[in-house]
Amino acid sequence: MPDPITFSATGPQDFLTAATIALPTAKLIEGQPFGRDHAYFERPEAKLKVGLWRSSAYTEWYDSYPCDEFMVVLEGEVTIESDSFCETYGPGAAFLIPKGFQGYWRQPVAMVKYYAIVE
C-alpha cells in the first residue's frame, strides 16, 4: 500500500540551486524559460503528474493548452490572458488552466509552483 507523499516548496536536495535547463514552451513570444521540474508523483495509466516547477521569466502563447493543470504559486507571478480573461496570480494563489485554453502565459519574473497535470 503506498504512503502519502510530502511536498517541499524547496524540492529535493539542491532543486532551487541546481543548474537550469531550457524548458519546453508552446509558441515562445519573449524570453527563454530556464528552470527545473521535479515530479513528486506520476501515474502514467491515469496520465497524472504532480510536482514542483521553477522557471525564469518568459511569455508564451497557447493555441490549445495540452492538459488540465492545477497550480499553486509559491514564488513569483504569472498573468494568464485571453480575449475574455486576464488574471495575475502571485504567491499563495491557486488556479486551474483547462485543457484547450487559448491565450498567453505572461511570466515577468522567475516563478516556483506546485502543479497537478491530467492529460
Side-chain angles (χ1 to χ4, degrees):
M1 183 177 297
D3 290 328
I5 298 166
T6 302
F7 283 53
S8 167
T10 59
Q13 184 175 5
D14 301 326
F15 176 80
L16 294 178
T17 58
T20 60
I21 58 173
L23 299 172
T25 65
K27 181 181 178 186
L28 190 60
I29 303 298
E30 183 177 20
Q32 174 63 54
F34 286 93
R36 286 282 183 184
D37 180 8
H38 174 73
Y40 276 103
F41 178 80
E42 292 185 77
R43 180 163 284 152
E45 67 276 12
K47 298 182 180 179
L48 172 67
K49 181 179 176 184
V50 184
L52 180 67
W53 177 90
R54 69 178 173 99
S55 174
S56 59
Y58 73 105
T59 298
E60 66 184 324
W61 166 264
Y62 284 94
D63 286 323
S64 180
Y65 206 75
C67 60
D68 292 314
E69 183 173 3
F70 175 78
M71 298 169 241
V72 177
V73 178
L74 301 173
E75 297 177 20
E77 69 179 47
V78 63
T79 298
I80 307 301
E81 180 184 340
S82 70
D83 289 340
S84 60
F85 181 87
C86 185
E87 185 79 30
T88 299
Y89 301 98
F95 63 101
L96 180 133
I97 298 180
K99 185 173 185 172
F101 166 80
Q102 183 179 53
Y104 290 97
W105 172 281
R106 297 184 189 277
Q107 186 183 311
V109 296
M111 187 170 126
V112 180
K113 69 177 181 178
Y114 287 133
Y115 66 84
I117 293 172
V118 179
E119 292 184 22

